[in-house]
Amino acid sequence: MKRRLEDCRADDACVIPLSNLDVSEPKRFQDDSIWGCFERLRREDPVHYCQESPYGPYWSLTKYRDIVAVDTNHKAFSSEQGVTIVDVPVEHWTHSFIKMGPPQHAEQRNTVSPIVGPENLTKLESLIRSRVRAILDGLPRNDAFNWVEMVSIELTTQMLATLFDFPFEDRRLLTYWSDVAVGTPKAGHEIDSWDKRNTILSECLDYFTRLWNERINTEPRLDLISLMAHSPATRHMKPSEFLGNLILLIVGGNDTTRNSITGGLLFMSQYPSELRKLTENPKLVSSAVSEIIRYQTPIAHMRRTAATDSIVGGKQIRKGDKVVMWYISGNRDEEIIENANSFVIDRKNVRQHLSFGFGIHRCLGRHLAELQLRVLWEEILGAGLEVKVVGEPERIASNFVHGYSALPARIAA
């Protein structure tokens, strides 16, 4: 539901003094109350400095053009100090190609890019379609079930297992490691310390190291481990760098797609007129997929660190400052996207969104994500399935992954 500034409560964070406004609070993403705060920043202070937060001081970019300007300027705004608002303790830091600049970034990225190249995606489409059909056929009829668990996670985790050539029976480990990797340790939670997080991710590294040792002694083939094991750019990685790249690839292939799969069903329920459009004209599927990805914005932000003094939106940003690009806000910028707070599957320039980022770090797997969503909706429409949302979604408490833990659904027999 659209959240307008004037609807905010008097004690809400979207009407407190700008100097005290911290849009990084995970609870606001979990209870879906963040929208008015971003609307206020876009209107009053698009390049906003937050002096005090649990993550230290940081700049918020909330307008489309400012985000693109920073995202495409990797020389002035570096990813080498991390890509999330969280500053990971030095002893738990892992390197990966998203945290690198040229030329090393391109060398490592290009090592794994063939797996999501056009030729391989063409080969993968029939596999994805058969899996989607099997998943949909296996869903209960006339009984409520959790769409996140039975569809979103299952489809994306099967795909991840294929990309890594990971033992299929253990594929849910990939989901678990992804969830651990993107979470920030918090007292009272399952992962309550950086040491515990490190212990679990060390188990991930051990498992993949066994796979690496198998692949490096066999002929190269088209899976992510083999590609890295046989490439001069990656075969000599230190264990921490191998783990960093594993986390990057697992999270990139898991969280973004699975939460867009969930968001798509939710939005079609919230906007039944758009679902009717799609049902009456299935050729709109590709357009609908782009709108789902914009409206969901599965990665809420990316962070950069100023490598030099710069001016953004008229504000002086100093070298060393933390700069957070709120993709989730830029995707609702009505200066660029007309009627941005509404879900419209046949809007003009539907691919003009920020969800995949821009510049040298633009999402490597974006075409695979779109393919999985497209096939899913083609199969839902082709089978004539009436999938109804029958309860409120449960969102996760994260300012990085904009996602869900549950979405109750039912299919009529």
Side-chain angles (χ1 to χ4, degrees):
M1 182 179 296
K2 185 176 178 180
R3 178 77 180 271
R4 297 191 58 81
L5 179 62
E6 54 266 30
D7 296 331
C8 294
R9 302 186 309 275
D11 61 344
D12 204 310
C14 50
V15 291
I16 66 173
L18 276 174
S19 59
N20 296 334
L21 182 55
D22 175 14
V23 292
S24 72
E25 298 174 26
K27 184 68 167 60
R28 294 197 166 275
F29 293 84
Q30 186 176 35
D31 64 19
D32 206 34
S33 65
I34 192 65
W35 304 105
C37 302
F38 281 134
E39 186 175 342
R40 183 183 182 196
L41 286 187
R42 289 195 301 272
R43 180 182 298 160
E44 298 181 24
D45 197 15
V47 181
H48 174 259
Y49 190 66
C50 178
Q51 178 65 48
E52 294 184 8
S53 85
Y55 314 100
Y58 69 95
W59 290 94
S60 280
L61 307 186
T62 53
K63 297 280 284 184
Y64 188 102
R65 290 190 179 94
D66 293 331
I67 291 169
V68 173
V70 167
D71 219 359
T72 54
N73 189 353
H74 63 271
K75 292 183 179 179
F77 297 95
S78 171
S79 66
E80 294 183 21
Q81 285 74 45
V83 295
T84 73
I85 195 171
V86 178
D87 291 310
V88 177
V90 173
E91 62 271 26
H92 299 292
W93 175 264
T94 55
H95 217 38
S96 65
F97 64 79
I98 200 173
K99 302 173 187 174
M100 299 174 185
Q104 192 178 12
H105 165 267
E107 292 169 352
Q108 292 201 2
R109 179 183 169 106
N110 290 342
T111 290
V112 296
S113 62
I115 199 98
V116 288
E119 184 178 348
N120 199 46
L121 290 184
T122 299
K123 295 176 181 177
L124 287 173
E125 180 168 349
S126 61
L127 176 62
I128 293 170
R129 195 171 298 279
S130 66
R131 288 178 173 173
V132 166
R133 288 174 178 170
I135 289 170
L136 295 177
D137 287 346
L139 296 175
R141 279 6 183 210
N142 288 325
D143 286 322
F145 63 93
N146 183 358
W147 179 265
V148 174
E149 182 69 23
M150 297 189 71
V151 180
S152 305
I153 291 177
E154 185 58 24
L155 178 58
T156 52
T157 304
Q158 286 186 20
M159 193 70 256
L160 267 182
T162 297
L163 297 179
F164 282 109
D165 193 11
F166 190 89
F168 212 65
E169 65 277 10
D170 288 342
R171 64 187 181 278
R172 284 299 178 111
L173 285 172
L174 298 170
T175 307
Y176 177 59
W177 291 329
S178 180
D179 291 343
V180 170
V182 300
T184 303
K186 188 175 181 180
H189 289 222
E190 180 188 357
I191 310 302
D192 56 8
S193 69
W194 286 101
D195 284 339
K196 186 166 185 179
R197 177 181 181 271
N198 186 64
T199 297
I200 294 169
L201 294 181
S202 293
E203 294 168 0
C204 170
L205 176 61
D206 290 344
Y207 197 120
F208 273 99
T209 299
R210 293 195 297 272
L211 298 181
W212 173 288
N213 292 335
E214 293 170 4
R215 309 284 161 84
I216 202 169
N217 293 313
T218 60
E219 288 296 312
R221 56 181 192 254
L222 193 58
D223 69 72
L224 288 167
I225 303 303
S226 185
L227 288 170
M228 288 190 285
H230 289 277
S231 168
T234 49
R235 70 163 62 121
H236 301 300
M237 290 185 293
K238 294 179 180 179
S240 62
E241 188 175 334
F242 181 36
L243 176 59
N245 278 323
L246 288 172
I247 292 170
L248 172 61
L249 294 168
I250 292 170
V251 172
N254 176 53
D255 284 291
T256 53
T257 308
R258 92 185 198 195
N259 290 307
S260 293
I261 288 172
T262 302
L265 182 64
L266 178 63
F267 307 149
M268 293 296 180
S269 174
Q270 293 172 330
Y271 291 83
S273 61
E274 299 306 298
L275 179 57
R276 282 195 298 272
K277 281 183 193 175
L278 188 60
T279 303
E280 292 168 3
N281 184 8
K283 291 182 180 179
L284 287 173
V285 166
S286 291
S287 176
V289 164
S290 291
E291 179 67 349
I292 287 167
I293 292 169
R294 177 193 76 87
Y295 206 63
Q296 178 60 34
T297 315
I299 297 298
H301 80 263
M302 277 285 174
R303 170 259 186 104
R304 300 290 184 262
T305 303
T308 184
D309 290 352
S310 301
I311 302 291
V312 179
K315 297 290 185 73
Q316 176 72 60
I317 294 178
R318 300 293 184 186
K319 180 180 179 180
D321 284 357
K322 185 187 297 186
V323 180
V324 178
M325 302 176 291
W326 292 106
Y327 293 160
I328 194 170
S329 175
N331 273 340
R332 302 294 180 100
D333 184 354
E334 294 204 339
E335 283 188 8
I336 303 298
I337 301 169
E338 185 180 356
N339 195 18
N341 283 317
S342 292
F343 179 69
V344 183
I345 67 169
D346 56 350
R347 68 168 60 251
K348 295 179 181 178
N349 303 317
V350 71
R351 297 183 66 84
Q352 188 182 21
H353 61 74
L354 294 167
S355 299
F356 294 132
F358 285 90
I360 64 171
H361 297 296
R362 187 163 170 78
C363 177
L364 179 67
R366 61 191 182 277
H367 297 306
L368 177 59
E370 291 172 332
L371 175 60
Q372 291 179 83
L373 284 161
R374 174 174 64 79
V375 170
L376 174 64
W377 279 102
E378 285 174 349
E379 292 301 317
I380 290 173
L381 296 171
L385 292 180
E386 293 186 23
V387 189
K388 302 290 186 182
V389 173
V390 294
E392 290 298 314
E394 294 179 12
R395 296 176 173 86
I396 62 174
S398 172
N399 59 29
F400 181 62
V401 173
H402 184 220
Y404 310 86
S405 57
L407 182 65
R410 179 183 289 117
I411 299 175

